[in-house]
Every structure is written in structure tokens, then in C-alpha cells.
Amino acid sequence: MPREHKQRGRRGTEKKRKHEEEEIEGEPAVKRVKTSSDENSVPLPEPWQGDANNDASEPIATPFYGTLDESEQEYFKHADDMLELNQFSTTEERNVFLNSVYREADGKELKIANSQSCSRLLERLIRVSNPEQLKTLFQKFSGHFLYLVQHRFASHCCEALFIRSAPIVTQELLAASKKDAVPADPNAVTESMENLFLYALNELEGNLGYLMTDRFASHALRILLFVLSGEALSERTSVVKSKRKENVSVNGISSGSNLQLDQRTVPNSFSYAVEKIISDTVLGLDTNYLRLLATHHTGNPMLQLLLRLELTKLGKQRAKNEGSLIRKLLPDEPIAEGTESASFINSILYDSVGSRLLEAIIEYAPGKTFKALYREFFKERLSVLARNDVAGYVVCKVFERLGKDDLQEAVRQIAPNIGDLVERNRTLVIRVLIERCLVRGVDASEIAVHLEGAYTGPDGFDISKLLYVERPSSVEGEKEVKMAEPPPEQMHGSLLAQTMVSVPGALSELVFNAFLRAGGEVCIQIAKNPTASHALQAALKSPNASIIFRRKAIQQFYGNVGDMALDSSASHVIDAIWQGTHGLAFIRERVAEELAENEASLRDSHVGRAVWRNWKMDLYKRRRADWVLHSRGVAENESSPNFENREGAKQEQNAVPKSKIQLARERHVAKQRKRKHSESGKTQGRNNGRRQADEGGQMTKSDEAS
């Protein structure tokens, strides 16, 4: 527990005693609270707590479900360790283990969910459970969801349960003919997963007002909305996952597959439930409270999600409705300078939390609303807003919705200020602008001119400045420190370089010429940098790269191919050389020769073995003519040496080794096949010999007769 802040020593005790005596003798030392009658005071609106007749108008204290005794805690901790390692020989063995854990946890599910040490076990169980087990657990949680989603540990179990149960709804919807089937187990849950979700929603429905801002319940509520709407959910969805969320996983089962959902079909009852949640939320909250939620760390993501679902699932025509969420936030028509809506937009434009809601408004608002916002707030201020570290993200969203003519005007505003943006490390704005120019077909040569001036060096455009890579002349110790802790700007510089090489014309030529001027030492250093090497790979594989550039760039690595193949980052550059040597067969063979010379060191390294497989070097060593024909014929048109990729190599290493009896069986089958093949060959040879002898005898008889 956190301790009370106390001042140590005799002076602290004496000061506390005098303070208590003053409070007893005079008025209590309490700060005066400003009331609503005070001048210039604005009373905060009460948050919506559901319907007026609902008894659950205020958060109810979480009931105490009891605690696990020492023996139970020890058992469940041991089960958690076993499930995390997942070292079961077969799937049947793991299923037997899961059934035994579920039997032991029967009646203790709520205790386990609220336990700090054992709630992780329940999360892992949910990840590997079958539909019947998930239904049983869902039914055990029914009636307690209002308390569980607000609990620090149980809320994570609810999130995992919602995500893992969502695909079951679609499966039951597609297999509706099996709904009336009688289960073999009389204790099995016959209720559909659709109804279980609706029961859980009924528990939360009258309390959405304070759950939206609850520290733990808001995450579960957002996931529930994703499930009901049928929207795709990924780990990168910032409105769902917290940055501090612990990654609870099972070895051998990818956590990503359990924490994401594909877009799927949902029943009509779910669509109606989403519409009702949005309508009730808008009716229960006034404009002032909604605007307060815009800058609330927990309420803002919920507001983003509601706005997104309203404008995508319910149609953008809903924005014309007076009761819509976007009209509650921006009620003025038109939105002009001096109105409350304009003041609200200007206030959240520079707010680190509120600007995310403005990004959602710009992304999903109807075209008419966006054009009005663009003309009023962004058209004449793009160059100023792009320099701000918060408003710059909003400007990127604006770029994504601009047409060709407006985008050309934006390029004319932003291009002269590129040097200032580079100094402030606002390369994201430049990158998004280049991407939109490529999509809309806008000429980006003006951007290339100012980028060359911003990253200029002794010989022109300096690629090492863009990628934040030190020259080889720097001190070795400093270089190691920088490699261990790369600056965050390095990733943005690498992404900018990758975007530049994808644009034909001046931008890509700027990067190509810079790599050639940098020399072999700098290029090798870039290749060995985990972040910067992606830019070099993109340059070698770019369709805009000429044969001359690819030939000169790859020749810089001669003599260092073996060393680069052993590096975890530079080995990907060696893989990219395969596509980079399209049309340059002699250079591809030259690189293969150098890999063959370093065969021993490559086979001793995991990274080297991956490169060896990708380049099909075993075929090169044994049947070189076949390798040459294959590389020149089939693989010339492939994006990579599609022999055995790194994923296949990792799966091969992670595969369970075969037993001796399995190897013996395989050898026996191979011998039988070889024996049958040889016997069929001998039989065919004998038949051919007899046929030839018969033909020869017939020819002799005919000669004698003649």
C-alpha cells in the first residue's frame, strides 16, 4: 500500500501539533471551493448515468468474491507456468490438462479473475479454450460483468473473453441449422453466444456514462463495441490497447492472433445494439460534457470510437441529424470564427489528447463538413500548423482527404518551409505529403529541391544525415552507443527515404545518387544498422532504380558479402540483392561465389544459414548449371529468392525432432520405393530385349526368304 507522506524528525511532529491546535481553536484550514454563484465560474455538468428511472445511477461498490487459499494459489500458479511454457507433446495431452484445470476452477472463476497472481492463468485459459468452455465461462461471468470490467485484473479477463468469443457468434450465425441440435452433455451451455453478449450488454447499458471514463472498464467497453459492430481489430488500434498493458501469451501460440479480429458478419441484433448505445449516449450527454470528454485521457478514445461507428456503420447522412454525435460536438452551422464550435476546434487542435478526436472528425466527417473545416481552419495555416508537434498530426489527416488541386496548393505552401520542418524533426508531415502526391499524381519536384537543401553535405544530398548514421571516422565507442540506442528520428528518416524511392523522378534519383556518392564504407554501415538498412533494401528493390544504379551499388559490397550475410540486419540487404540483380545475372553469380567461399562461417550462424537457404546455395554447390538456369529463368521475375524463406527456416528449427522409429520407417519406405523402381526398370529392360530379339529374328527370316 502507498504510505502517507510524512515529514520526519522533531520539527515535523511539532509543526503537525501546532497545525492541529490551530484547527481546533479557530476555523478549519480548508480551502474555499468556488461555487456556481461565483463570478466567471462554469459549473461542470453531471455525467450521464443512464435513464432517470434506472437504479444504477451511481457506481456500485464491487462485491467481495472471496480469496483463494494457499493450496489453491499454489496449484493455479503451477498450472499457469505449465500453460505458459506449453510443452505438451500432443494436443490431446494439452486438452486433458485444460479439462483438469477447468474442473479445479469450477465455482472459483470469479475469485481467480480478481486475483492478482492467478488472473493471468484465466487469460491464458481463455486463449486456448474451445467454444463450449468459453460459453461456460461466459455464463459464470454473467450477472457480474458490471463489477468485473471495473476491476484492475478481472477487466483483462473480460477483454480476452470478448475477443475470443466474437468469432463464435459468426460461426453460429453461418451454421444456424445446428441450433436445434441436442447437446450430448446435459450440463453443456445451450444458450447461443449472441444472447450471452446481449445479456452482458444489458448489465452495462444503464451505466455507460461513468464506464466511459473508468480507468479499466473503458477498455473492455471499447472492445465490446468492436465486437458488436463487426469491425476489424488489431493490436495497433490505439483506441483499444493501452501502452502499459501486459502481454500475457502462451508459448507456441502467437499472441497477435488472439488479440485481433478480422472483419466479420454479425447478427442484426448487434447492429441494433450499437445504434442504441450511440443514441443513448448522445441523448444522455450534453455538448459541454462531450467537449470535456474530448480532453479526457480515458473518455477521448471512447468518443473517437463512437464517432467512427456513427459515421461508418450508421451512414454519413446521420451527420445531418440534430441528435447525432458530430452535431452535438459542432452544433453551429456554418462553423465560422467567433462561434463556440470554432473555439472548441482551436482549443483541441494543439491539445495532445483532444487533437486525436479532431483527427477522427477529419477522417470520417462527410465531405461537406470537411470542406467547411478545411476552408475555415487549415487552408491558410498549413505551413504554421505543420511546424507544431501536435497539430502536425492533424495536418497529415488533412492531406489524406485533399483533392488534386488543393494538394498542389498545399505543396506550394509546405515546400518552402521544409528546412524548418527538418530542423524540428517533423519529417512525418513531409512523408505523408509525398505519399499523397504519389496517389493524386501531383508533381513533387519542388519538394525534392528543398529536401536537397535541408540535407545538404559536402557533395550534395547526404544520405547519412537523413538516416542519422555517423560516418566511419567517428570514435568506435561512440558509434556502439548510438547503435545500441538509435534516436527516434532515425526511424522517421528511414521511412522518409523509403517513401522517396517509391516516387519516380527527382525524389528517387536524389536517394539513388546519394547512396552512390556515400561509398562502400558508409553503405555497409547503413546496411548493418537495424533501422537504416530498410532504406537501402527499398532502394535496391525499387522499380524506379535503374540498372546502372543497381550495378554500381551492389559492386560496393564486393569483398564484404560474407561478413554482411552474418549480420542480423545486413543479411536482409543480401536477400534484397537477389531482386536487385534482376537483369544482372553475372553480378548475381559473383555474389553467389562469394557466399560459397564463406560456406563454413555461414553454416555456423543462424543468420548465415537463412541466407544460404534463400540463395539456394546447396543447389549452386552441387548442380551449378541448374542453379544458373533457375536464377536466370524462373527466379528473374520473382521479388525474392523464393526458395526457403526465413519463416520456413524458423519453423524448421522450432519443429519437434523426429524419433528414431519414425526415421527408420521413412528409410524403410524409401528403400521399398527404390527397390520397386529398380525391379520395374529391370522388367522393362528384359521386355525391351525380348522385343528387340524377336524383331531381329523376323528380319533374318525375311532376308533369307528374299
Side-chain angles (χ1 to χ4, degrees), residues 466-484:
L466 176 60
L467 300 178
Y468 287 85
V469 176
E470 294 292 333
R471 292 280 179 174
S473 58
S474 61
V475 182
E476 190 69 21
E478 296 179 358
K479 184 177 70 173
E480 292 179 358
V481 173
K482 292 183 180 181
M483 288 290 291

Side-chain angles (χ1 to χ4, degrees), residues 11-57:
R11 295 180 181 178
T13 307
E14 186 71 15
K15 185 177 180 181
K16 182 178 179 182
R17 183 181 59 80
K18 290 181 179 180
H19 183 67
E20 292 174 351
E21 291 176 356
E22 289 176 0
E23 288 187 0
I24 295 174
E25 295 175 359
E27 295 180 357
V30 179
K31 291 185 179 180
R32 185 175 69 89
V33 180
K34 201 174 205 179
T35 62
S36 59
S37 60
D38 291 344
E39 193 176 52
N40 300 328
S41 65
V42 180
L44 296 179
E46 290 295 327
W48 175 63
Q49 309 293 351
D51 300 332
N53 298 328
N54 197 329
D55 295 336
S57 58

Side-chain angles (χ1 to χ4, degrees), residues 449-601:
V449 172
H450 291 88
L451 274 176
E452 185 176 6
Y455 291 104
T456 185
D459 301 325
F461 184 77
D462 192 354
I463 192 66
S464 61
K465 283 187 177 181
L466 176 60
L467 300 178
Y468 287 85
V469 176
E470 294 292 333
R471 292 280 179 174
S473 58
S474 61
V475 182
E476 190 69 21
E478 296 179 358
K479 184 177 70 173
E480 292 179 358
V481 173
K482 292 183 180 181
M483 288 290 291
E485 298 179 0
E489 296 84 3
Q490 189 178 65
M491 181 186 67
H492 293 285
S494 177
L495 292 174
L496 178 59
Q498 295 174 51
T499 304
M500 291 172 66
V501 299
S502 65
V503 181
L507 281 170
S508 57
E509 291 297 328
L510 206 62
V511 178
F512 295 151
N513 296 333
F515 273 120
L516 295 180
R517 285 195 304 267
E521 293 185 1
V522 176
C523 287
I524 291 174
Q525 188 176 356
I526 291 174
K528 293 184 177 181
N529 188 290
T531 305
S533 65
H534 292 279
L536 183 56
Q537 298 171 40
L540 292 173
K541 296 188 292 187
S542 173
N544 302 315
S546 62
I547 292 181
I548 297 176
F549 162 72
R550 290 185 280 121
R551 175 174 56 82
K552 291 182 178 180
I554 296 171
Q555 286 176 348
Q556 292 177 342
F557 303 132
Y558 284 173
N560 299 281
V561 173
D563 181 43
M564 293 172 62
L566 297 174
D567 187 82
S568 58
S569 300
S571 60
H572 294 282
V573 177
I574 301 298
D575 291 341
I577 289 177
W578 178 272
Q579 184 178 352
T581 52
H582 174 72
L584 299 170
F586 65 97
I587 293 183
R588 183 177 291 180
E589 294 176 19
R590 172 68 176 81
V591 175
E593 288 178 5
E594 195 163 341
L595 290 174
E597 293 173 359
N598 296 271
E599 178 181 2
S601 57

Side-chain angles (χ1 to χ4, degrees), residues 64 66-81 101 104-105 108 111-121:
F64 180 66
T67 58
L68 300 170
D69 56 32
E70 294 184 3
S71 60
E72 292 173 341
Q73 285 189 6
E74 185 178 356
Y75 171 80
F76 289 126
K77 285 181 181 178
H78 179 66
D80 185 31
D81 295 337
V101 174
E104 185 66 27
K108 309 182 186 73
K111 294 182 182 180
I112 298 173
N114 287 267
S115 173
Q116 179 180 3
S117 57
C118 300
S119 61
R120 297 182 184 86
L121 168 65

Side-chain angles (χ1 to χ4, degrees), residues 212-233:
M212 289 173 61
T213 56
D214 186 82
R215 181 181 177 187
F216 305 111
S218 60
H219 294 278
L221 188 58
R222 283 174 243 160
I223 289 179
L224 184 59
L225 280 173
F226 266 100
V227 172
L228 295 176
S229 63
E231 286 284 309
L233 174 64

Side-chain angles (χ1 to χ4, degrees), residues 414-424 430 450 453-454:
I414 297 294
N417 299 282
I418 283 181
D420 191 12
L421 294 177
V422 170
E423 290 180 2
R424 297 170 180 263
I430 305 173
H450 291 88

Side-chain angles (χ1 to χ4, degrees), residues 81-145:
D81 295 337
M82 291 185 63
L83 190 58
E84 181 181 8
L85 295 175
N86 194 23
Q87 294 180 346
F88 303 101
S89 57
T90 60
T91 306
E92 291 76 10
E93 183 180 349
R94 188 180 68 182
N95 292 336
V96 171
F97 172 76
L98 293 178
N99 292 332
S100 64
V101 174
Y102 268 110
R103 283 194 301 269
E104 185 66 27
D106 187 23
K108 309 182 186 73
E109 292 86 358
L110 298 176
K111 294 182 182 180
I112 298 173
N114 287 267
S115 173
Q116 179 180 3
S117 57
C118 300
S119 61
R120 297 182 184 86
L121 168 65
L122 199 55
E123 285 190 68
R124 292 191 175 93
L125 280 176
I126 292 171
R127 292 176 186 273
V128 296
S129 297
N130 57 40
E132 294 301 326
Q133 292 169 338
L134 291 175
K135 281 186 178 183
T136 303
L137 187 60
F138 216 121
Q139 195 178 43
K140 293 293 181 66
F141 281 7
S142 293
H144 307 276
F145 276 111

